[in-house]
Amino acid sequence: MTLNAELSRRIYTDMWRIRLFEEEALRQTSLGTVKGTLHTYCGEEAIAVAICAHLRDDDYVLGTHRSHGHCLAKGAPMDRMMAELFGRATGSCRAKGGSMHIADFSRNILGANGIVAGGIGPGTGTALASRIRKSDQVSVVFFGDGAAARGPFHEGLLFGSLWKLPVVYVCENNGYQQWVPRKNVAVVDSVADMAASYAIPGVSVDGQDLEAVYEAAGEAVERARRGEGPTLIEARTYRFYGHSLGDMEEYRSREEVDDWRENRDPIKLFSAWMKERQWLGDDEDEAIQAGAAAEVAKSVAYAEESPLPDPEDVLTDVLDTEWRVSA
Amino acid sequence: MRTIALRDALREALHEEMARDDSVFVIGEDVIAHGGPYTVTQGIVDKWPDRIFETPIAEAGIVGLGVGAALAGMRPVVEIMYVDFITCAMDEVVNQAAKMRYMTGGQASVPIVIRLPCGPARLVAAQHSQIMESWFMHVPGLQVAAPSTPYDAKGLMKTAIRSPDPVAFFEYKALYVSEGEVPEEDYAIPFGQADVKREGEDATVVAIGGMVPRALEAGIALEDEGYDIEVVDPRTLAPLDMETICESVRRTGRAVVCEMDSSFAGTGAEIAAALAEQCFHDLRAPIVRVGSPHVPMPFAEELVNVTVPDVGDVSAAVRKVMA
Ligand SMILES: Cc1ncc(C[n+]2csc(CCOP(=O)(O)OP(=O)(O)O)c2C)c(N)n1
Ligand SMILES: [Mg+2]
């Protein structure tokens, strides 16, 4: 599918939904209503929305510690996500997971992940399942540049390639791994170059450029769906906020952050791109932002009105206690 | 005596041991930036830029390299950002580090310290809140330390670094900022020596790591009820000083064993079993264990509060053995 005005507006709306959801979540942490930590996706939104625009409801998505964007782009209900951050019984994971573990299996969002590279093996495994079942579902695994150092990245890509599994590996290379610049701890600049070792296509794209990510993703998803195997997409990007809450950001300059925010904001860039094509008027733009803001406000109200978890629920969900072996 | 925080005590131990012995070096994620999330490795890069390595996110590599460097005569101090991530390097810990001396008929020495920040803090849920001491206790060839005070942290860290064998060093995140007296002069605390943190006559409360301050608080609260408890902190779980624990239980005749981790197949289970074997006839009431229910750490505060044992749980257990 090529980008048209309608699809672009939908994608653009999702970018705002993610941006405003997270900015509100950050604000709520300062009020103490959202507890724990948050790893925000602000600045990286183009990647999740461009990739997920190619996915069907039954395609699988696995994420990272920074997955609010992945979940919203794949269709997770915002109100339940906000309720999860608020630690309410109505949250996506019934207040057991929190920001780092949001999942919504009804949309085949198999979860954010607190373990760097933790989703790569399981994501490849969902693709194996699709292969065995002869379904044409595609799996997308998102991970940061830091994950490319870990064994599960290498083992996952090997299996994916060896068995030509329908999986797309999406590396969000934001140049930092917590507080360490990637260049201090990596030997290849582009994670896409690592695809060569596993004999799969490796594509590096500007992650702030929605159209570029959209096109690379389209090819990769189609290739996977055709049964031709995995692709590794590296999307070069930047996170606007600190690694997580309370990050003093001593490892990067204010100017660098301001420059990205000013000149490389994927939302601003895509808005301009649409406007150039007359696909987005100023009024529509405002309406989209207002609509996203209203949805966020509604999600906060939902979270606030939702009950706290019942302490007794702490014991449930460890195992399926209803299950009995059948003869 | 001066008072410093537990993380400062650990940092001092590292600096002093690095000054004392050129073979000590530090390796881990983000250990240069800020001196790690807990600031324990702060300042090392300024003094010994060649002996601190900030790594890619690759725990198996970090521990594996540590084991190799240790085999070659160095003394690595490895930081694993959260104990939860040590599972990514379990082969290196269990099959490479722990068994090497034995498998080689005593030829190998693996003097590695693996620092494992642990425990619930800041509501970060199931993959960033574990404790896991009992996993390591169960591996022959590993030593396990779990200090509860700045004094113990510094003295045990020195022993850990000087030890010729691997040490899993548990640091309760919630205790990093807790303060206590630490002398300026050099000292080391031998492994396998429990410490009586509070003397008492009525019941022995064995408390591990993060449960020690809670047991001490319970001790104060229980005074009002007329109970005078003794709090014993094993300080190292392998080796485990059952002698001191048994000596106390023989005197009091009652035992409560507290850990913050799930009590199922846990640290307290080993202690309780050893007490049953060694002090059965001195016990005037069944041993009571305090620990968390057997669940992964939830996210919401209301759920965490009923998961992590607190002062009230310790007090309730004491009342039970006193009844
Ligand atoms: C196995 C493992 N090691 C370390 C961590 C701690 N940690 C969480 S996020 C992070 C940095 C990840 O960097 P990257 O993969 O580039 O993702 P980004 O945060 O930049 O999106 C680290 C070190 C972890 N969660 N899991
Ligand atoms: Mg990164």
Side-chain angles (χ1 to χ4, degrees), chain B:
Chain B
M1 209 187 296
R2 73 197 169 125
T3 293
I4 60 175
L6 190 144
R7 63 183 180 193
D8 304 329
L10 288 170
R11 192 182 314 111
E12 275 191 6
L14 283 180
H15 278 254
E16 289 173 20
E17 290 305 292
M18 287 187 77
R20 194 176 157 269
D21 180 348
D22 288 343
S23 63
V24 180
F25 73 94
V26 166
I27 180 168
E29 292 160 18
D30 296 76
V31 290
I32 293 177
H34 286 300
Y38 315 105
T39 73
V40 171
T41 55
Q42 231 167 40
I44 292 173
V45 70
D46 306 319
K47 292 195 212 158
W48 302 284
D50 299 335
R51 287 162 61 197
I52 179 161
F53 298 89
E54 189 162 78
T55 70
I57 305 168
E59 286 76 9
I62 296 167
V63 180
L65 266 67
V67 172
L71 285 168
M74 301 298 290
R75 290 181 180 273
V77 179
V78 172
E79 175 167 317
I80 298 295
M81 194 183 288
Y82 287 75
V83 69
D84 311 69
F85 314 151
I86 194 65
T87 52
C88 302
M90 273 317 242
D91 176 66
E92 286 66 24
V93 174
V94 176
N95 285 316
Q96 311 309 326
K99 301 172 181 170
M100 203 54 85
R101 179 183 293 279
Y102 192 81
M103 290 190 302
T104 61
Q107 297 175 76
S109 170
V110 188
I112 186 174
V113 181
I114 305 172
R115 295 186 35 235
L116 301 167
C118 71
R122 298 203 313 141
L123 303 179
V124 280
Q127 294 175 335
H128 286 75
S129 302
Q130 290 169 93
I131 299 171
M132 303 172 74
E133 292 143 342
S134 60
W135 293 39
F136 295 80
M137 284 169 71
H138 199 64
V139 179
L142 288 184
Q143 303 170 94
V144 179
S148 69
T149 65
Y151 177 85
D152 291 349
K154 184 170 180 184
L156 291 172
M157 179 54 79
K158 291 204 161 201
T159 305
I161 293 173
R162 294 174 197 179
S163 164
D165 290 302
V167 181
F169 199 95
F170 286 83
E171 301 171 7
Y172 281 73
K173 284 173 288 190
L175 295 183
Y176 273 128
V177 294
S178 73
E179 305 210 327
E181 291 189 338
V182 176
E184 316 242 357
E185 56 279 7
D186 182 45
Y187 66 97
I189 300 172
F191 283 1
Q193 287 190 6
D195 184 43
V196 177
K197 288 278 191 284
R198 175 195 160 102
E199 289 180 3
E201 321 230 298
D202 296 334
T204 300
V205 175
V206 183
I208 294 152
M211 286 310 290
V212 175
R214 293 174 190 209
L216 291 172
E217 236 184 276
I220 295 168
L222 287 164
E223 280 171 12
D224 293 341
E225 297 174 37
Y227 299 138
D228 178 21
I229 64 167
E230 178 144 308
V231 176
V232 183
D233 175 358
R235 300 197 290 195
T236 62
L237 302 170
L240 180 62
D241 177 9
M242 277 313 295
E243 212 174 297
T244 301
I245 297 171
C246 287
E247 189 279 319
S248 170
V249 171
R250 284 196 188 102
R251 247 186 310 106
T252 63
R254 302 171 202 272
V256 171
V257 184
C258 309
E259 69 197 294
M260 206 174 267
D261 213 343
S262 158
S263 44
F264 181 77
T267 306
E270 173 57 32
I271 295 171
L275 280 174
E277 284 176 338
Q278 296 172 39
C279 308
F280 186 79
H281 297 290
D282 304 292
L283 285 169
R284 279 182 274 164
I287 301 163
V288 173
R289 278 186 289 164
V290 173
S292 77
H294 200 44
V295 300
M297 190 61 67
F299 164 64
E301 203 164 28
E302 292 72 24
L303 299 180
V304 171
N305 288 344
V306 293
T307 304
V308 183
D310 58 17
V311 178
D313 295 312
V314 180
S315 300
V318 171
R319 283 182 210 113
K320 204 164 157 192
V321 293
M322 295 306 302

Side-chain angles (χ1 to χ4, degrees), chain A residues 144-146 172 174-177:
Chain A
D145 48 297
E172 300 172 319
N174 58 15
Y176 292 93
Q177 308 178 2

Side-chain angles (χ1 to χ4, degrees), chain A residues 170-284:
Chain A
V170 182
C171 177
E172 300 172 319
N173 183 351
N174 58 15
Y176 292 93
Q177 308 178 2
Q178 191 152 329
W179 307 327
V180 179
R182 169 168 171 78
K183 61 177 165 25
N184 293 6
V185 288
V187 286
V188 291
D189 174 52
S190 172
V191 175
D193 290 346
M194 299 167 93
S197 307
Y198 301 102
I200 60 173
V203 203
S204 188
V205 294
D206 177 354
Q208 311 310 91
D209 178 345
L210 187 125
E211 190 189 16
V213 185
Y214 183 83
E215 278 174 9
E219 259 176 60
V221 170
E222 281 324 303
R223 187 180 133 82
R225 224 182 281 289
R226 287 195 305 266
E228 291 168 20
T231 302
L232 171 59
I233 297 175
E234 172 193 57
R236 296 285 193 149
T237 187
Y238 198 78
R239 61 168 159 71
F240 286 177
Y241 291 96
H243 170 71
S244 57
L245 289 187
D247 182 351
M248 290 178 287
E249 300 185 61
E250 287 163 351
Y251 49 84
R252 63 182 189 179
S253 68
R254 197 63 246 173
E255 293 74 51
E256 182 185 293
V257 181
D258 289 344
D259 182 45
W260 278 86
R261 280 175 173 271
E262 201 47 48
N263 304 310
R264 310 281 299 125
D265 182 331
I267 298 186
K268 281 187 197 163
L269 294 175
F270 192 49
S271 155
W273 185 90
M274 286 170 71
K275 284 176 180 167
E276 252 169 51
R277 283 163 182 70
Q278 320 280 323
W279 288 357
L280 181 73
D282 286 338
D283 292 353
E284 282 168 303

Side-chain angles (χ1 to χ4, degrees), chain A residues 17-75:
Chain A
R17 292 175 67 239
I18 297 168
R19 176 72 55 92
L20 297 182
F21 173 86
E22 289 197 315
E23 287 185 339
E24 179 61 20
L26 282 173
R27 198 177 74 83
Q28 293 290 339
T29 62
S30 64
L31 303 177
T33 42
V34 168
K35 302 196 182 96
T37 196
L38 288 181
H39 301 80
T40 57
Y41 196 60
C42 296
E44 308 187 9
E45 294 94 340
I47 306 165
V49 296
I51 306 259
C52 291
H54 293 281
L55 300 183
R56 300 193 315 226
D57 278 354
D58 66 342
D59 288 334
Y60 293 104
V61 163
L62 290 89
T64 64
H65 52 288
R66 199 179 298 293
S67 267
H68 304 141
H70 308 140
C71 294
L72 286 169
K74 183 67 174 36

